Amino acid sequence: MRIGELAERAGTTTRTLRYYESRGLLPARRAGNGYRTYDEGDLRLIEQIRTLQDFGFDLEETRPFVDCLRAGHPAGDACPASLAVYRRKLGELDALIDQLKAVRAEVGAQLTRAELEASADLPGGPEPRCELNRDAS
């Protein structure tokens, strides 16, 4: 198949496919007329790359998965290098989750504080704490 068909079937653009080719992720085979040619295996490579990118993997992190597919494995994550990327990515995600939990706790504490202060300013609530008022009485 030609690059336009591959792009359409993969749900991407020809520009993206050329970029993958320039990064060595997609083979650069040419027909006698100079057109790029691709097969179903190349479609599988693009699907693997796009799935991993949808999960937050950067393009270089997809390389071991692509290499694994190119080596003839039925799945891109059947190789030790791919498993190592999964482990590293899980560690990164766990760290981000911990960071987000800490930020959430801080935002929750700020909300509680702000709500208490706002309720103190409502009619019938306690007098506002103003240092100038204390000195004036």
Side-chain angles (χ1 to χ4, degrees):
M1 78 184 87
R2 292 191 13 204
I3 194 168
E5 182 183 350
L6 178 62
E8 183 177 328
R9 288 184 61 192
T12 191
T13 65
T14 57
R15 182 177 180 186
T16 297
L17 297 180
R18 285 189 209 98
Y19 180 68
Y20 292 167
E21 182 182 308
S22 74
R23 299 293 304 268
L25 294 168
L26 188 62
R29 292 184 303 271
R30 301 237 180 212
N33 60 7
Y35 291 132
R36 290 172 171 90
T37 61
Y38 302 96
D39 59 24
E40 294 299 319
D42 298 321
L43 177 60
R44 178 70 186 112
L45 293 177
I46 301 305
E47 290 170 342
Q48 179 76 78
I49 292 168
R50 291 180 50 89
T51 297
L52 291 168
Q53 287 191 307
D54 287 347
F55 292 159
F57 289 66
D58 67 37
L59 191 57
E60 195 55 37
E61 289 174 317
T62 69
R63 188 173 300 281
F65 298 86
V66 169
D67 291 345
C68 192
L69 286 170
R70 281 187 176 165
H73 296 278
D77 57 6
C79 298
S82 302
L83 298 175
V85 172
Y86 273 156
R87 286 184 195 99
R88 187 171 53 248
K89 182 57 78 175
L90 278 175
E92 290 173 13
L93 291 171
D94 287 341
L96 284 171
I97 289 168
D98 290 344
Q99 183 181 10
L100 286 172
K101 285 180 179 178
V103 169
R104 187 188 189 292
E106 183 61 32
V107 170
Q110 293 293 341
L111 174 62
T112 300
R113 180 201 48 79
E115 286 175 335
L116 287 171
E117 287 180 7
S119 68
D121 291 338
L122 294 175
E127 287 293 318
R129 297 179 317 182
C130 180
E131 298 301 320
L132 294 175
N133 285 344
R134 188 175 349 147
D135 292 339
S137 33

